[in-house]
Amino acid sequence: MKRNPSTIVRLFPSPRAYLYAMAFFFAGGWLLHALTAQEGIGPGEIEFTPFSLFSDPRYSAMEIVALIAVLGIAIGGLLYAFLLARQVVRADRGTQRMQEIAAAVREGANAYLAAQFRRIGPLIIVLTILLAVTYTGTVEAFRWGRAVSFLVGALFSWTVGFVGMRLATTGNLRVASAATRSYGEALQLGYRTGTVTGMLTDGLGLLGGTVIFLIYGEHAYEALLGFGFGGTLLALFMRVGGGIYTKAADVGADLVGKIEKDIPEDDPRNAATIADNVGDNVGDCAGMAADIFESYEVTIVAAMILGLASFGHIGVIFPLLVRGIGVVGSIISTYTVKAGAGNTSDTALRSVHRGFWIGSIISVVGFFILGFFYLRFDAEYIAMNPMAVGGFPNGDPLQLSWFAGLGIPGLDLRPAYTCLIGVLLAIVLNKVTSYYTHTAHRPVKSLAKACDTGHATNVIQGFAVGYEATVTTILVLAGAILISALCYAGAGPLFVAFGVAMTGIGMLTLTGNTISMDVFGPVADNANGIGEMGYEPQKMEATAPGNYRRARQILADLDAVGNTTKAETKGIAIGTAVVAAVSLFASFIAVIAVGSEDKINQMSDSQFMAEASRLTIAEPLVLVGLLIGGAVPFLFSSMLIGAVGRAAFYIVKECRLQFRDTDIWAGIKKPDYGRVVNICTNTAQKELIGPGLLAILSPVLVGFLLGPYALGGFLAGMILVGQLLAVFMADSGGAWDNAKKLIEDGHYGGKGSEAHKAAVTGDTVGDPLKDTAGPAINPLIKVMNMVSLLSLGLVLSYSLMSNRGESPLISVLFVAVCVAGIGWAFRQSRKESPEDSEEV
Amino acid sequence: MKRNPSTIVRLFPSPRAYLYAMAFFFAGGWLLHALTAQEGIGPGEIEFTPFSLFSDPRYSAMEIVALIAVLGIAIGGLLYAFLLARQVVRADRGTQRMQEIAAAVREGANAYLAAQFRRIGPLIIVLTILLAVTYTGTVEAFRWGRAVSFLVGALFSWTVGFVGMRLATTGNLRVASAATRSYGEALQLGYRTGTVTGMLTDGLGLLGGTVIFLIYGEHAYEALLGFGFGGTLLALFMRVGGGIYTKAADVGADLVGKIEKDIPEDDPRNAATIADNVGDNVGDCAGMAADIFESYEVTIVAAMILGLASFGHIGVIFPLLVRGIGVVGSIISTYTVKAGAGNTSDTALRSVHRGFWIGSIISVVGFFILGFFYLRFDAEYIAMNPMAVGGFPNGDPLQLSWFAGLGIPGLDLRPAYTCLIGVLLAIVLNKVTSYYTHTAHRPVKSLAKACDTGHATNVIQGFAVGYEATVTTILVLAGAILISALCYAGAGPLFVAFGVAMTGIGMLTLTGNTISMDVFGPVADNANGIGEMGYEPQKMEATAPGNYRRARQILADLDAVGNTTKAETKGIAIGTAVVAAVSLFASFIAVIAVGSEDKINQMSDSQFMAEASRLTIAEPLVLVGLLIGGAVPFLFSSMLIGAVGRAAFYIVKECRLQFRDTDIWAGIKKPDYGRVVNICTNTAQKELIGPGLLAILSPVLVGFLLGPYALGGFLAGMILVGQLLAVFMADSGGAWDNAKKLIEDGHYGGKGSEAHKAAVTGDTVGDPLKDTAGPAINPLIKVMNMVSLLSLGLVLSYSLMSNRGESPLISVLFVAVCVAGIGWAFRQSRKESPEDSEEV
């Protein structure tokens, strides 16, 4: 095979493709502008003054103070993150050689994020403008409020991902260095690196929500939607791009290294090793951090929107205060995570888990005390917030059951209960994930055993395990939603939805701890890689005999702990998608009911019920929407899996080429790591456009083609199938991974046996499922939800199925643009490079 | 390892388990009887005389004649089947050795069906009684009408499976013998063997529907539901049992033979070969035939129920007549399938396809001519059938659009159009399946190429292909449902549902041809096996030089043709599940609306709409039902895949044991085929109980626990996820299978290469997906639909969430029984035998 320069060139983002995408959006923008101009913006029906809540008599002084306090906590969280970051940066940086390797990884990671920024940046700008232009309401301040909030949400999401990755690539070196000194120091440093990202997520998420509420008060809905959309969209891109990057590098490195050449992972002769390590940061740090940030953001957005529409301002301030308590709980509990110098992974894991428990207890006690004092409703409050009437039996808060009010007149602890359900849900989801993916339990053992009869039986058993895992998970989620709904039995649908939203708030109360646990995984993994490539055994042994082996063992142990903590947190992120989506459904119906988002506060219960009843599965259009919605997660996953395959193919080719250089193979010449990093970076950028377009355009297409009710069905189908598929892929992948580890620990013949080969096959199959397609479905669900909500105003006016009297030509145009966009994305995802399409 | 007799004993159906299951049902029966007694059966509100339609003035003499003619066609179809069967039986039976092998296969197949009959028979009797006892209506004649129809439906389904398998095990020998003479003769014999089953399906399905209608007239609903349930339930058991049997044998034989010992498929030394051949018959003939019969039955049941409730008697007679035309089309077109003596597989395939086209054209022309003359509505008809008013603009058939009536006043061709959509849908689904699973197209080629980089990349690429296939399929189905619904735009919801039901009728118009094509697959496969094991090369070469190789080539070609035709028809069966389920949804709502099935004719449009509107996804209970419903197909598949794994494990053990006998390995001693056949038979019987209980009990549980609306959501979720999962598994499995064939044809190194090993892994992974779990989801969807409809009367009275004032204790009891049953089924499915649970 000749080294064909066109291969490399083709990998770069094709400027033409880029141009097309931009043209789509600009054409859309122009169209929309023409439309809104045609409608004419009448005199504002709604009066709006920013920061009016400070002078609003409905808000007590205590509430204003509490909001300011939340703001303070948010800033405090950011400060804590900054202090930890400084600790990490100042830690010892190890030897020259280790620094070199860490620098290569960091450079690769930075190059990736820079490339992504160049590609996504303009899209975000265009979407910001588009959001402003397509605003169908009547208040000019909301037009830009939403657009700017979108931009801020996107920037926050980006920041979390960026800083998380920067810190991780800083921390890995320090952890590798600390491991030469003590176990405890290494663990603490790694965990704190994760905590920085965790607290950043907490701080920025809380800051955004609070500031928007302070500015917009009861009209926060508009801006919050934009804020949530910005966060999810960025997270989707980071997840997709990072997921493709990390698995292409991993699969490519494994295929060439472990399978073809039979050399260990992280062997410095393999040109793909640096890319593999970069991938861990790009996928598991940047992607995961942005993803959880987005979950944190969307759950607070859902709770604030529904809180306002149901219980009035108490309903919006309570979730903010709960989040504030959660941040305090995280700060305290993450600081307690420590390990002694000579500890083992078991005690380390116990310390991490103890931190989580401490945080949970602080939070739960905190928000029950808060609820006891704050959640008081009386006739005066209801007179000022008339929407709250539907939330109480006969509209009277004094008639609440003993369960809700502990017999104290006017007390309504239901929001605290639903929050508690969320906390418990997070814990149960952690346990479920751990049961299906941890080596200590039956499922992973059954996989290891199946390896004994070959590749195929391992893969088949993985299907059985993954299917069962997703069933258990969705039943747990359904149970939690059911119990949350039962807490509000008898109340109106918006109140029930608020209950579900509060469950989402509860789930992510301990985001700080969750992210710390998650990011710790790739940091430890990378530190291990730096140890493998960067430690100098002779030198180390010369200084202190036995030190090299001890340090390597510490790193291996930390890597195992990291794998476990990382796996445990996976269930939470995906679970939030369903909970947030279910609660956002109520907003969706509310908008259909009143015809435009800014009138949402004027909606009556009967209007809501009338529209909700049209979203019936008995209606063929809704059912067709449901079927189409269910198809999207499959198509999306298919695209991503294909993308990983294509990218890995290029990497394999490049590595084979470099291995042919006998100097590289002998280990005397450094391979050109940069080429592989470049291939990964560029392929990931190129491949994320297709799935991204699918996520943005498919709900718009369904809405314009089949109308708002079909869009409702679409959302339901997409949530259901997305959830099932995501957990199936994440957990089967995790189980395969650990089955391999189990065999490598010496079971069924250990490393090198036939069983081990079968286990490696399972692990490789699971890689794109668990780290690319599976986790990307979480932001996918939320992006499609947000797009549906944001485009609903236009859909109501211009859908082909709607009868609101607008010109069908415009609808046809919209449909055509969406079809062209999705078709292009799909074709793009199946395109093969010239050499790739050899005829069979 | 010692030969442990307890292993074998444990495989036999545990009498205790059986007793438990029976006790459940009896307890349920007793409970139900007590309940109905308590309600008291009041004086019949409905007058009913069997066969009253003969004296009903609403039915014209022509209609009565037409119905009798349909009866005649049904009997004609059965006669045609009988004639073909005689042809097959009388064909030449080959040499002594071939007969011996065929006899072994036939014996095994018969033993399986006998064992299954012993196990399922009592269950069917119990269910028959239970159905009679739980009847909540007021007419005694319906009580037993439904129960007996259930029994008849089950018997018919059983008969189709049984005869289909008997014929296949007769035909395979004859085809192997005919192959020694000519290609044309062998093809024709194989195809006709399939046609017998096809015409039996047509004949029995049509007979049952027509007779029920003649007896019950406008009350046919009651009996039809029983008839449909009987058919689907039996089909589910045949599919599940057959699927487990066939793949356990196949996977077991491959693991030991191809992978461990490196001997070819069908090597007579392998003790699992006979079981493998039995499995083809048990799974692909008995299972598939019963499955398509059930689809045929359920679609006509749905169309008749909805036809009666919407357009009155024209609505029920038209589908019967369309089916009659389809049978005539099948008779004519299947008879045209021929091939010359020296033909190749291409021309053979063309002949089979031409047969399908001829049948389609006859049917479409036929039912449009019929529609033109029969589908006439005037004021008089509407006066006699007032329910039809909602089906026309302003209730006036003269105001139909030009599209519906071709400008002829009173003509309404919409049922014919929707039928045509169904025919087209069947053709498109065939093409889609063929695109994703045939070697000539991109997907299979991409798999073969992925084999070049190893096991894992092949499996990963299979995921991508399978995901894409299921997306395409569901989009096609959604499109067809949408267009059918648009045909009835403006009409009431029952009319729309009738349109969708007619699409189902259209899809299965050519059932005769479909089954011929399908059954041809296993017959050819088996004939090939008999050739491998039963031909005596020396003798054959002595008589006519070159004959052995020619005959083997013919059999190999036929096998390939059979694989293609079999694969092509798979899409249809699964597609009918969605179409039938969507149309049955309308009956579901109608029953909720009027509270009991026998009042369905008294329902008003506004009642229907009121209930339909409560099935909204905005209602948390419906959404929770949706989530649970979506989980069931995953759980069901997980159970089935696990079952195949367990069964295959026993087979591998047994075969390894027999291979240790050096005489068997040397080929001088015949292995004990019977032991493996026994293991398969008994494991399949044992393993089908768990999934069967899940299918029957889970809708009942959801209904009693969460109420009728959640049950509606449950059905929707189950349909959506079931469809997506079924096609994913069927098509990815088919693609892996053919990728292996492609490599065996010499690509990427051909047989024995590393790529081939990877391809075998893919094929083995796909086996339980495509032949066990995937196809079983079709009857699963329908069984759960039927159970929901049948138990709805009780659910409405006794659900924990309903407010109809019955004692909650009884509901709790029901829930407890269901939970216990499902829990037991689930535990059973995870139980491992003592040797199996070695600690890791």
Side-chain angles (χ1 to χ4, degrees), chain B residues 375-389:
Chain B
L375 295 170
R376 304 281 179 140
F377 296 87
D378 51 23
E380 199 191 335
Y381 181 86
I382 295 210
M384 279 201 291
N385 299 274
M387 66 288 263
V389 164

PDB file of all heavy atoms in Angstrom, chain B residues 375-389:
ATOM      1  N   LEU B 375     -68.529  -2.580  -3.023  1.00  0.00           N
ATOM      2  CA  LEU B 375     -68.425  -1.517  -2.016  1.00  0.00           C
ATOM      3  C   LEU B 375     -69.324  -0.321  -2.365  1.00  0.00           C
ATOM      4  O   LEU B 375     -68.835   0.778  -2.638  1.00  0.00           O
ATOM      5  CB  LEU B 375     -66.963  -1.076  -1.875  1.00  0.00           C
ATOM      6  CG  LEU B 375     -66.008  -2.144  -1.336  1.00  0.00           C
ATOM      7  CD1 LEU B 375     -64.566  -1.696  -1.468  1.00  0.00           C
ATOM      8  CD2 LEU B 375     -66.324  -2.448   0.121  1.00  0.00           C
ATOM      9  N   ARG B 376     -70.617  -0.564  -2.355  1.00  0.00           N
ATOM     10  CA  ARG B 376     -71.577   0.495  -2.683  1.00  0.00           C
ATOM     11  C   ARG B 376     -72.402   0.815  -1.446  1.00  0.00           C
ATOM     12  O   ARG B 376     -72.923  -0.080  -0.785  1.00  0.00           O
ATOM     13  CB  ARG B 376     -72.511   0.023  -3.805  1.00  0.00           C
ATOM     14  CG  ARG B 376     -71.790  -0.426  -5.068  1.00  0.00           C
ATOM     15  CD  ARG B 376     -71.353   0.781  -5.894  1.00  0.00           C
ATOM     16  NE  ARG B 376     -70.650   0.329  -7.089  1.00  0.00           N
ATOM     17  CZ  ARG B 376     -70.805   0.893  -8.292  1.00  0.00           C
ATOM     18  NH1 ARG B 376     -71.650   1.894  -8.454  1.00  0.00           N
ATOM     19  NH2 ARG B 376     -70.112   0.454  -9.318  1.00  0.00           N
ATOM     20  N   PHE B 377     -72.497   2.073  -1.165  1.00  0.00           N
ATOM     21  CA  PHE B 377     -73.247   2.491   0.025  1.00  0.00           C
ATOM     22  C   PHE B 377     -74.327   3.478  -0.390  1.00  0.00           C
ATOM     23  O   PHE B 377     -74.067   4.371  -1.197  1.00  0.00           O
ATOM     24  CB  PHE B 377     -72.311   3.161   1.030  1.00  0.00           C
ATOM     25  CG  PHE B 377     -71.257   2.221   1.567  1.00  0.00           C
ATOM     26  CD1 PHE B 377     -70.057   2.044   0.881  1.00  0.00           C
ATOM     27  CD2 PHE B 377     -71.483   1.487   2.714  1.00  0.00           C
ATOM     28  CE1 PHE B 377     -69.099   1.174   1.357  1.00  0.00           C
ATOM     29  CE2 PHE B 377     -70.522   0.616   3.192  1.00  0.00           C
ATOM     30  CZ  PHE B 377     -69.338   0.454   2.516  1.00  0.00           C
ATOM     31  N   ASP B 378     -75.519   3.311   0.144  1.00  0.00           N
ATOM     32  CA  ASP B 378     -76.554   4.306  -0.124  1.00  0.00           C
ATOM     33  C   ASP B 378     -77.304   4.599   1.159  1.00  0.00           C
ATOM     34  O   ASP B 378     -77.007   4.045   2.216  1.00  0.00           O
ATOM     35  CB  ASP B 378     -77.500   3.802  -1.224  1.00  0.00           C
ATOM     36  CG  ASP B 378     -78.009   2.410  -0.920  1.00  0.00           C
ATOM     37  OD1 ASP B 378     -78.014   2.012   0.268  1.00  0.00           O
ATOM     38  OD2 ASP B 378     -78.398   1.698  -1.865  1.00  0.00           O
ATOM     39  N   ALA B 379     -78.265   5.471   1.070  1.00  0.00           N
ATOM     40  CA  ALA B 379     -78.994   5.908   2.260  1.00  0.00           C
ATOM     41  C   ALA B 379     -79.666   4.728   2.943  1.00  0.00           C
ATOM     42  O   ALA B 379     -79.732   4.645   4.174  1.00  0.00           O
ATOM     43  CB  ALA B 379     -80.031   6.965   1.871  1.00  0.00           C
ATOM     44  N   GLU B 380     -80.139   3.786   2.146  1.00  0.00           N
ATOM     45  CA  GLU B 380     -80.838   2.634   2.697  1.00  0.00           C
ATOM     46  C   GLU B 380     -79.892   1.798   3.568  1.00  0.00           C
ATOM     47  O   GLU B 380     -80.227   1.408   4.688  1.00  0.00           O
ATOM     48  CB  GLU B 380     -81.370   1.779   1.540  1.00  0.00           C
ATOM     49  CG  GLU B 380     -82.480   0.826   1.934  1.00  0.00           C
ATOM     50  CD  GLU B 380     -82.770  -0.169   0.797  1.00  0.00           C
ATOM     51  OE1 GLU B 380     -82.476   0.184  -0.367  1.00  0.00           O
ATOM     52  OE2 GLU B 380     -83.233  -1.276   1.071  1.00  0.00           O
ATOM     53  N   TYR B 381     -78.653   1.549   3.018  1.00  0.00           N
ATOM     54  CA  TYR B 381     -77.675   0.763   3.768  1.00  0.00           C
ATOM     55  C   TYR B 381     -77.354   1.463   5.090  1.00  0.00           C
ATOM     56  O   TYR B 381     -77.293   0.842   6.146  1.00  0.00           O
ATOM     57  CB  TYR B 381     -76.396   0.576   2.944  1.00  0.00           C
ATOM     58  CG  TYR B 381     -75.354  -0.249   3.668  1.00  0.00           C
ATOM     59  CD1 TYR B 381     -75.365  -1.643   3.590  1.00  0.00           C
ATOM     60  CD2 TYR B 381     -74.382   0.361   4.447  1.00  0.00           C
ATOM     61  CE1 TYR B 381     -74.428  -2.402   4.270  1.00  0.00           C
ATOM     62  CE2 TYR B 381     -73.443  -0.387   5.141  1.00  0.00           C
ATOM     63  CZ  TYR B 381     -73.457  -1.769   5.041  1.00  0.00           C
ATOM     64  OH  TYR B 381     -72.546  -2.514   5.728  1.00  0.00           O
ATOM     65  N   ILE B 382     -77.182   2.775   5.003  1.00  0.00           N
ATOM     66  CA  ILE B 382     -76.815   3.518   6.212  1.00  0.00           C
ATOM     67  C   ILE B 382     -77.949   3.501   7.219  1.00  0.00           C
ATOM     68  O   ILE B 382     -77.716   3.444   8.440  1.00  0.00           O
ATOM     69  CB  ILE B 382     -76.400   4.952   5.822  1.00  0.00           C
ATOM     70  CG1 ILE B 382     -75.136   4.838   4.970  1.00  0.00           C
ATOM     71  CG2 ILE B 382     -76.181   5.822   7.058  1.00  0.00           C
ATOM     72  CD1 ILE B 382     -74.183   5.940   5.025  1.00  0.00           C
ATOM     73  N   ALA B 383     -79.159   3.525   6.718  1.00  0.00           N
ATOM     74  CA  ALA B 383     -80.292   3.459   7.633  1.00  0.00           C
ATOM     75  C   ALA B 383     -80.287   2.131   8.379  1.00  0.00           C
ATOM     76  O   ALA B 383     -80.584   2.065   9.578  1.00  0.00           O
ATOM     77  CB  ALA B 383     -81.601   3.619   6.860  1.00  0.00           C
ATOM     78  N   MET B 384     -79.883   1.052   7.668  1.00  0.00           N
ATOM     79  CA  MET B 384     -79.854  -0.270   8.306  1.00  0.00           C
ATOM     80  C   MET B 384     -78.601  -0.480   9.142  1.00  0.00           C
ATOM     81  O   MET B 384     -78.596  -1.288  10.062  1.00  0.00           O
ATOM     82  CB  MET B 384     -79.965  -1.361   7.235  1.00  0.00           C
ATOM     83  CG  MET B 384     -81.410  -1.578   6.799  1.00  0.00           C
ATOM     84  SD  MET B 384     -81.622  -3.202   6.041  1.00  0.00           S
ATOM     85  CE  MET B 384     -80.722  -3.012   4.530  1.00  0.00           C
ATOM     86  N   ASN B 385     -77.524   0.210   8.788  1.00  0.00           N
ATOM     87  CA  ASN B 385     -76.268   0.087   9.521  1.00  0.00           C
ATOM     88  C   ASN B 385     -75.825   1.472  10.001  1.00  0.00           C
ATOM     89  O   ASN B 385     -74.905   2.066   9.451  1.00  0.00           O
ATOM     90  CB  ASN B 385     -75.190  -0.514   8.620  1.00  0.00           C
ATOM     91  CG  ASN B 385     -75.549  -1.902   8.143  1.00  0.00           C
ATOM     92  OD1 ASN B 385     -75.303  -2.887   8.793  1.00  0.00           O
ATOM     93  ND2 ASN B 385     -76.193  -1.958   6.976  1.00  0.00           N
ATOM     94  N   PRO B 386     -76.498   1.985  11.013  1.00  0.00           N
ATOM     95  CA  PRO B 386     -76.260   3.391  11.392  1.00  0.00           C
ATOM     96  C   PRO B 386     -74.813   3.678  11.797  1.00  0.00           C
ATOM     97  O   PRO B 386     -74.364   4.820  11.697  1.00  0.00           O
ATOM     98  CB  PRO B 386     -77.212   3.597  12.577  1.00  0.00           C
ATOM     99  CG  PRO B 386     -77.582   2.230  13.050  1.00  0.00           C
ATOM    100  CD  PRO B 386     -77.490   1.327  11.869  1.00  0.00           C
ATOM    101  N   MET B 387     -74.070   2.651  12.235  1.00  0.00           N
ATOM    102  CA  MET B 387     -72.689   2.914  12.665  1.00  0.00           C
ATOM    103  C   MET B 387     -71.829   3.429  11.514  1.00  0.00           C
ATOM    104  O   MET B 387     -70.795   4.059  11.743  1.00  0.00           O
ATOM    105  CB  MET B 387     -72.045   1.661  13.285  1.00  0.00           C
ATOM    106  CG  MET B 387     -71.816   0.513  12.339  1.00  0.00           C
ATOM    107  SD  MET B 387     -73.365  -0.311  11.846  1.00  0.00           S
ATOM    108  CE  MET B 387     -73.424  -1.682  12.981  1.00  0.00           C
ATOM    109  N   ALA B 388     -72.252   3.160  10.268  1.00  0.00           N
ATOM    110  CA  ALA B 388     -71.426   3.531   9.117  1.00  0.00           C
ATOM    111  C   ALA B 388     -71.418   5.033   8.859  1.00  0.00           C
ATOM    112  O   ALA B 388     -70.598   5.530   8.074  1.00  0.00           O
ATOM    113  CB  ALA B 388     -71.908   2.790   7.867  1.00  0.00           C
ATOM    114  N   VAL B 389     -72.319   5.757   9.517  1.00  0.00           N
ATOM    115  CA  VAL B 389     -72.445   7.199   9.263  1.00  0.00           C
ATOM    116  C   VAL B 389     -71.106   7.920   9.420  1.00  0.00           C
ATOM    117  O   VAL B 389     -70.720   8.733   8.575  1.00  0.00           O
ATOM    118  CB  VAL B 389     -73.489   7.802  10.237  1.00  0.00           C
ATOM    119  CG1 VAL B 389     -73.349   9.313  10.280  1.00  0.00           C
ATOM    120  CG2 VAL B 389     -74.875   7.422   9.789  1.00  0.00           C
TER     121      VAL B 389
END
